[in-house]
Structure formats: C-alpha cells, structure tokens
Amino acid sequence: MKRLLIILILLGAFFLPESYGYIVGKLRVLVWEDGNVTIDEIIYPEDYEILIRVPLIGNNISDILVVCEDKYRLPYTLQNSSLFIETRNSTRVRIIYTASGLVSNEGSLWTLNLNLPRAPAEIILPQGAEIVGLSDIPIRIIGNNTVLIGPGNVTIYYTFPSLLAEERFPLRKVVPLIIMALVFTTIVAFFLKKRKPRRKLSYFEDKIGKIAKQYNLNDDEIRAIKYLLDVGGRSSQADLRKALDLPKTTVWRMVRRLEQMGLIKVYKVGRENWVELNIDMHKLT
C-alpha cells in the first residue's frame, strides 16, 4: 500500500502544477579544485508532506546523503535530476551531494554557473581562489573566495593567484618554525601510533560489511575504514591519502562525508589533519 501511494505521488508530479512542498532554510555550495561541487542544502518540509521533490543542481550526481533533524537517514529516489524524499514526519531535512558540469575554465580564468531558482546560496570557492567577476550584485562577500548571492542564474568568475609569491618575512625566519612543527608532529604521531596496538582486521570484516550497508558506503570509504582499523583506529589524513592512492580533493570530500555521518572525527596535530574512528567496532552486533 505504501509503495502504491509513492508511485501515485510520483505520477502526479508530472501532471500537477509545480509545488516542492518545502521551504529552503540554507544552501551552501562548496567548489573544489578539480571542478566538482558539493551541495549542502537544509530544507523544512511543509506540514503533512509525506513525499517531497527536490531538484538537484548539476550533473553526474554522486555521494548522496539525506538525513533528518535526528541525523537518521531518510529513504529517497533519484529520478530526472530530482530527489523524491520520504519525509517520515521530519521537520528538518539535510541533503548533501556532489555534482559536476558546473565549472569550466579557459586558461587561468575559471567560471562557475549555477541556477538557484528558490533561494540564495553561500558559495565557497577553493582555498586560494579570488573572485574577479560576478553576474549579479551579491548579498554579501566574505573574504576573497566566499560570496552570498542569488536566487536566479548566477555566474562567478575566479582565478588562482601565483602560489610562488614571496613570503612577507624572510625565509630564514620561516625555516626554524617549519622544523619545529615537523619535529612536534613526528613526536606526537609516534606516541599516538604507539598507544594503540594494531587490531586484527579479519575480526571486523563482518561488522565492516554491516556498516557499509547501513551507511551506503562506497568502495573508497570502505577501504578508508579498513585502513584506520589496520593502523589502530587513527591516522594522519596525508597517510590515509597515500594508502588509498587517491587525489587530495577526493580524500577531502570522503573524510568530510564520513565525519558528517559520525563514523570518524577529524582534529589537528600540529599542522596536520588527523582522522580517527568514532565508532566502537567491538560493540557492534
């Protein structure tokens, strides 16, 4: 009966006037150096809406995560660049996904094109990027790489200044700081690795499979969980990237997604990001 009701609502979406059944509370767009874009949207379903349609931004949608206010995953169907989400009486829904086809570049000039029909968005460009042009007057500009703009069709032009610019103070003052940071990081990393012995990965294989099914983890995310278990539950993000042999931006998005699901936590040791399992595998059944 429930499945029949959902099918009828989906069919009705093609014949009824367009109505999304929700209010957009917040929309963030994170642009990565490789041109992929992560959309982070918070919506508030209207009363008694059991199924809502959320049009997606961009193409080649992946890494979809839909959770309610209690961080429980909500069921959804991806159809014709839209998500049909079962609200299950949720009052607040968060949608996170990665898309492509929104960024292009010609030489040193990068262009981001967005269609924001329902609400303005906070757009965060890659670290080190600088905005050089906007199609519309923004609501607010934050620093060199963040802007609040929209709704409507929005185009943002940006570029990356040279990373080889001279430092503001002499190199001889920088070298001792770098050496001290490296020594401190090495000492802390040594003691962190020494505190916990390596666990036998085979013991957790069945539990990893259950976690992968529960959170809909992809192959790279499963490899990351296995690696963290193999090295005692924590690792620097740099070592994790080397072990998985993945691009830096891919690992960054993966770590962010696992952290949002509550499977890991991220913290700094010196200048390095470290990731640590946030679940007790022994307590899982």
Side-chain angles (χ1 to χ4, degrees):
M1 184 66 182
K2 180 179 177 182
R3 183 175 296 178
L4 177 61
L5 180 60
I6 293 175
I7 293 174
L8 291 174
I9 294 175
L10 289 174
L11 290 174
F14 293 99
F15 302 101
L16 296 175
E18 186 153 1
S19 176
Y20 298 112
Y22 64 87
I23 299 172
V24 178
K26 187 175 182 181
L27 178 60
R28 298 177 74 233
V29 178
L30 286 80
V31 184
W32 304 97
E33 291 181 2
D34 60 3
N36 286 318
V37 173
T38 295
I39 312 297
D40 188 346
E41 186 171 10
I42 295 177
I43 62 175
Y44 297 92
E46 296 178 357
D47 292 340
Y48 309 112
E49 290 287 346
I50 63 173
L51 187 72
I52 55 176
R53 181 172 78 87
V54 181
L56 302 181
I57 301 173
N59 303 313
N60 300 323
I61 306 299
S62 63
D63 299 333
I64 301 173
L65 179 65
V66 182
V67 294
C68 65
E69 61 271 20
D70 296 322
K71 296 187 178 181
Y72 290 110
R73 296 171 66 90
L74 295 175
Y76 64 84
T77 301
L78 176 61
Q79 184 177 356
N80 296 329
S81 299
S82 293
L83 283 183
F84 291 86
I85 302 171
E86 296 181 43
T87 62
R88 298 189 173 180
N89 296 322
S90 301
T91 58
R92 180 180 182 271
V93 177
R94 186 177 185 183
I95 306 161
I96 303 172
Y97 58 92
T98 299
S100 62
L102 299 171
V103 176
S104 60
N105 79 295
E106 184 174 347
S108 60
L109 182 65
W110 295 74
T111 304
L112 171 66
N113 290 295
L114 293 171
N115 181 15
L116 307 170
R118 301 182 303 283
E122 180 185 13
I123 300 171
I124 305 172
L125 298 176
Q127 188 70 28
E130 287 190 6
I131 299 171
V132 295
L134 297 168
S135 61
D136 299 292
I137 298 175
I139 300 173
R140 184 169 68 251
I141 295 179
I142 307 167
N144 294 324
N145 69 331
T146 302
V147 60
L148 182 65
I149 194 170
N153 291 315
V154 172
T155 302
I156 298 178
Y157 304 95
Y158 63 95
T159 188
F160 293 91
S162 174
L163 299 177
L164 301 178
E166 292 185 0
E167 297 290 342
R168 293 183 178 179
F169 46 91
L171 185 61
R172 57 187 172 83
K173 293 184 179 180
V174 181
V175 173
L177 295 177
I178 295 176
I179 294 175
M180 289 175 62
L182 289 174
V183 171
F184 176 76
T185 302
T186 302
I187 294 173
V188 172
F190 173 77
F191 282 105
L192 286 175
K193 289 183 178 180
K194 192 175 181 180
R195 283 174 61 186
K196 281 192 177 182
R198 294 196 171 200
R199 305 174 184 176
K200 292 183 179 180
L201 186 58
S202 58
Y203 172 78
F204 297 116
E205 285 290 349
D206 182 59
K207 298 181 179 182
I208 293 173
K210 292 180 180 179
I211 292 174
K213 185 176 181 180
Q214 179 182 354
Y215 290 93
N216 193 27
L217 301 183
N218 59 39
D219 291 342
D220 290 335
E221 291 164 345
I222 294 172
R223 290 170 56 210
I225 296 294
K226 288 183 176 180
Y227 174 76
L228 289 174
L229 283 170
D230 193 42
V231 297
R234 58 169 65 92
S235 166
S236 70
Q237 189 167 315
D239 288 343
L240 175 64
R241 180 175 64 83
K242 291 177 183 177
L244 301 182
D245 192 23
L246 293 173
K248 184 177 180 180
T249 52
T250 300
V251 172
W252 183 268
R253 286 196 299 271
M254 179 183 65
V255 167
R256 178 181 176 84
R257 177 175 155 85
L258 291 173
E259 183 183 25
Q260 289 167 340
M261 289 188 285
L263 295 177
I264 65 171
K265 57 183 178 181
V266 182
Y267 55 90
K268 279 194 174 293
V269 177
R271 292 189 175 185
E272 278 192 304
N273 279 348
W274 277 67
V275 295
E276 181 177 348
L277 282 175
N278 200 31
I279 49 176
D280 190 340
M281 301 292 289
H282 293 286
K283 293 183 180 180
L284 294 177
T285 57

PDB file of all heavy atoms in Angstrom, residues 46 58 121-122 149 201 224 263:
ATOM      1  N   GLU A  46       6.832  21.142   4.434  1.00  0.00           N
ATOM      2  CA  GLU A  46       5.566  21.689   4.912  1.00  0.00           C
ATOM      3  C   GLU A  46       4.780  20.601   5.643  1.00  0.00           C
ATOM      4  O   GLU A  46       5.022  19.416   5.470  1.00  0.00           O
ATOM      5  CB  GLU A  46       4.761  22.245   3.729  1.00  0.00           C
ATOM      6  CG  GLU A  46       5.451  23.429   3.059  1.00  0.00           C
ATOM      7  CD  GLU A  46       4.668  23.946   1.869  1.00  0.00           C
ATOM      8  OE1 GLU A  46       3.622  23.347   1.534  1.00  0.00           O
ATOM      9  OE2 GLU A  46       5.096  24.940   1.257  1.00  0.00           O
ATOM     10  N   GLY A  58      23.293  20.613 -11.071  1.00  0.00           N
ATOM     11  CA  GLY A  58      24.433  19.988 -11.736  1.00  0.00           C
ATOM     12  C   GLY A  58      24.121  18.620 -12.305  1.00  0.00           C
ATOM     13  O   GLY A  58      22.968  18.145 -12.293  1.00  0.00           O
ATOM     14  N   ALA A 121      22.419  31.381  -2.217  1.00  0.00           N
ATOM     15  CA  ALA A 121      23.364  30.353  -1.769  1.00  0.00           C
ATOM     16  C   ALA A 121      24.642  31.011  -1.291  1.00  0.00           C
ATOM     17  O   ALA A 121      25.088  32.026  -1.834  1.00  0.00           O
ATOM     18  CB  ALA A 121      23.664  29.364  -2.892  1.00  0.00           C
ATOM     19  N   GLU A 122      25.240  30.391  -0.266  1.00  0.00           N
ATOM     20  CA  GLU A 122      26.585  30.761   0.167  1.00  0.00           C
ATOM     21  C   GLU A 122      27.563  29.911  -0.641  1.00  0.00           C
ATOM     22  O   GLU A 122      27.589  28.690  -0.496  1.00  0.00           O
ATOM     23  CB  GLU A 122      26.775  30.515   1.657  1.00  0.00           C
ATOM     24  CG  GLU A 122      28.164  30.893   2.151  1.00  0.00           C
ATOM     25  CD  GLU A 122      28.388  30.534   3.611  1.00  0.00           C
ATOM     26  OE1 GLU A 122      27.576  29.787   4.171  1.00  0.00           O
ATOM     27  OE2 GLU A 122      29.388  31.003   4.175  1.00  0.00           O
ATOM     28  N   ILE A 149      24.905  34.958  -2.705  1.00  0.00           N
ATOM     29  CA  ILE A 149      24.344  35.535  -3.922  1.00  0.00           C
ATOM     30  C   ILE A 149      23.129  34.726  -4.362  1.00  0.00           C
ATOM     31  O   ILE A 149      22.969  33.575  -3.980  1.00  0.00           O
ATOM     32  CB  ILE A 149      25.411  35.555  -5.047  1.00  0.00           C
ATOM     33  CG1 ILE A 149      24.983  36.449  -6.214  1.00  0.00           C
ATOM     34  CG2 ILE A 149      25.757  34.153  -5.496  1.00  0.00           C
ATOM     35  CD1 ILE A 149      26.089  36.684  -7.225  1.00  0.00           C
ATOM     36  N   LEU A 201      42.355  -7.136  11.390  1.00  0.00           N
ATOM     37  CA  LEU A 201      41.305  -6.651  10.507  1.00  0.00           C
ATOM     38  C   LEU A 201      40.272  -7.736  10.223  1.00  0.00           C
ATOM     39  O   LEU A 201      39.087  -7.455  10.092  1.00  0.00           O
ATOM     40  CB  LEU A 201      41.921  -6.159   9.190  1.00  0.00           C
ATOM     41  CG  LEU A 201      40.975  -5.480   8.194  1.00  0.00           C
ATOM     42  CD1 LEU A 201      40.306  -4.279   8.832  1.00  0.00           C
ATOM     43  CD2 LEU A 201      41.755  -5.043   6.962  1.00  0.00           C
ATOM     44  N   ALA A 224      38.865   3.071   3.429  1.00  0.00           N
ATOM     45  CA  ALA A 224      39.337   4.011   4.454  1.00  0.00           C
ATOM     46  C   ALA A 224      39.066   3.461   5.857  1.00  0.00           C
ATOM     47  O   ALA A 224      39.923   3.540   6.745  1.00  0.00           O
ATOM     48  CB  ALA A 224      38.663   5.369   4.264  1.00  0.00           C
ATOM     49  N   LEU A 263      30.970   8.633  11.526  1.00  0.00           N
ATOM     50  CA  LEU A 263      31.821   7.448  11.567  1.00  0.00           C
ATOM     51  C   LEU A 263      33.248   7.778  11.985  1.00  0.00           C
ATOM     52  O   LEU A 263      33.958   6.918  12.515  1.00  0.00           O
ATOM     53  CB  LEU A 263      31.823   6.759  10.199  1.00  0.00           C
ATOM     54  CG  LEU A 263      30.479   6.170   9.756  1.00  0.00           C
ATOM     55  CD1 LEU A 263      30.591   5.574   8.363  1.00  0.00           C
ATOM     56  CD2 LEU A 263      29.995   5.121  10.739  1.00  0.00           C
TER      57      LEU A 263
END
